[in-house]
Amino acid sequence: MSISLSLPLADGGTEAYALVGSPTPRPSATPSFNRIAYAAAHVVSDPRRDARPWEAPAIDWECTMAFRHHLWSLGFRIAEAMDTSQRGMGLDWAGAQELIRRSLAEARTVPGADLACGAGTDHLNPADARSLDDVIRAYEEQVGFVEKQGGRAIMMASRALARIARSPDDYRKVYGRILGQAKDKVVLHWLGDMFDPQLRGYWGSQNFEPALDTVISIIEENRAKVEGIKISLLDNAYEVALRDRLPEGVLCFTGDDFNYAELIEGDGVKYSHALLGIFDAVAPQASQALASLAAGDVGTFRAVIEPTVPLSRKIFEAPTQYYKAGVVFLAWLNGHQDHFTMPAGMQSARGVVHYADVFRLADKANVLDKPELAAARMKSLMTVLGVS
C-alpha cells in the first residue's frame, strides 16, 4: 500500500511525498561487531509532568531505560549522559546523576550490556571558575560519582576549562590530575565548537595542529589511563591525523557524524571505532552494517550505512548543537516514545522544513521502522506547525 503525505518545501510551497523505504529487519540474536560501537543515547521527556521544561525538565525514566534496552539488543555499547542527552542544554548534573545511576543499574540486568558515562564540569558555572583547581574539583566530583556507581568515565570537554585556561600546560595539568586519579581507563572527548561554541580554543589553540600536539602529549603522558579518544570535529582529515599519531593500544572513536561510514571502514591499515549520536537515530541500520563488516561483507556494510550519512548530515547541520532535536524526532516517528517534546523545549530549535527534510532522508535510508505510524505522526506535526 502506497503511503503519501504533504510536506513543505524551502520555497514556502508543499509537495506530495510518497514513501519509498523498507523497514530494516531486526537481528534474531544480539550481533557481534569487530568495531567498538557506542551509541550516545537521548533521554525521554515526560510532558505530563513537565511543568517547567526549561528549569526542571521531567524525565520519563521507564521510556528512557526502554530505549537503552533497544540499543543493547542491537549490539551497541551506550555512551550515557553525553551531549546527546542534553547535558548542559536541558539536563543538569542532578538529572545526569539520576540517569547514570539508573542506567548502570539497568545494565547489570542485561547479559553483556556495557556503557560508559559522561563526566564533566557542567555543575560549575564557567563564570564562577576562578582557578584550575576549581575545574579539577568539578571533574573530581563527577568522575568520582561515576566510579562510585561502578561505572567507567568518558571525560567530557569543560566549558569552565575553556574559559579559564591560558595555555596548553593548563590542559595538561587538569587532565593529568584527573587521569592520574582514575580507577579505570578513561575515554577522552574532543568536542568541536560547532557542537558547543563555548569550547572554542579547546586544548589551548584555535588551530588544529597545535591542539593536536597538546592532545597527543596528554595521552602519551597518561597512556596507562586512556582507553581512547573521541574526536568530533566533523572533518575526516582531522580524525585521520589524530588516528595516525595515537600511541599503540589507544583507540580512536569517531564522533564525526558527517563522515563516519568511511572512518569506521578504514583505509585498509587503520580504522576508527565509534561513539556517535547518530547511532541513537539509525541504530538498526548501523547494527546491520557493523555486523556485515564483522562478517567481511563490506558491500553490505556500505549499502546499508552509506544512505544514513546524508540523513546524519542534515540532522547535524549548523547550528550543529541542535542536532538533538532530529534524534528525538526520529525516536518519536519510530514509536520509541509517544510524543515529540524534549527537555528545555529543544524540539523548537529546528523548523518545519528541516523536519520535512529529515523525514524524506530517513525514509530513503530505510530508517522509518513503522512507515504508517511515521506518516501519521508526521501529518499531525505538520498540522500543528501550520502545514495543511
Side-chain angles (χ1 to χ4, degrees), residues 255-269:
D256 188 336
D257 299 277
F258 282 8
N259 304 292
Y260 52 91
E262 62 187 84
L263 291 163
I264 292 170
E265 181 179 337
D267 58 13
V269 179

Side-chain angles (χ1 to χ4, degrees), residues 5-18 352-353 356-357 360 382-383 385-388:
L5 68 164
S6 181
L7 295 177
L9 298 168
D11 63 4
T14 60
E15 69 166 0
Y17 179 78
V352 63
V353 174
D357 289 343
R360 294 184 189 95
M382 294 299 96
T383 299
L385 296 180
V387 179
S388 60

Side-chain angles (χ1 to χ4, degrees), residues 322-340:
Y322 299 142
Y323 77 87
K324 304 160 187 69
V327 167
V328 177
F329 172 61
L330 288 175
W332 173 60
L333 291 181
N334 283 328
H336 294 292
Q337 53 194 80
D338 60 10
H339 59 85
F340 182 34

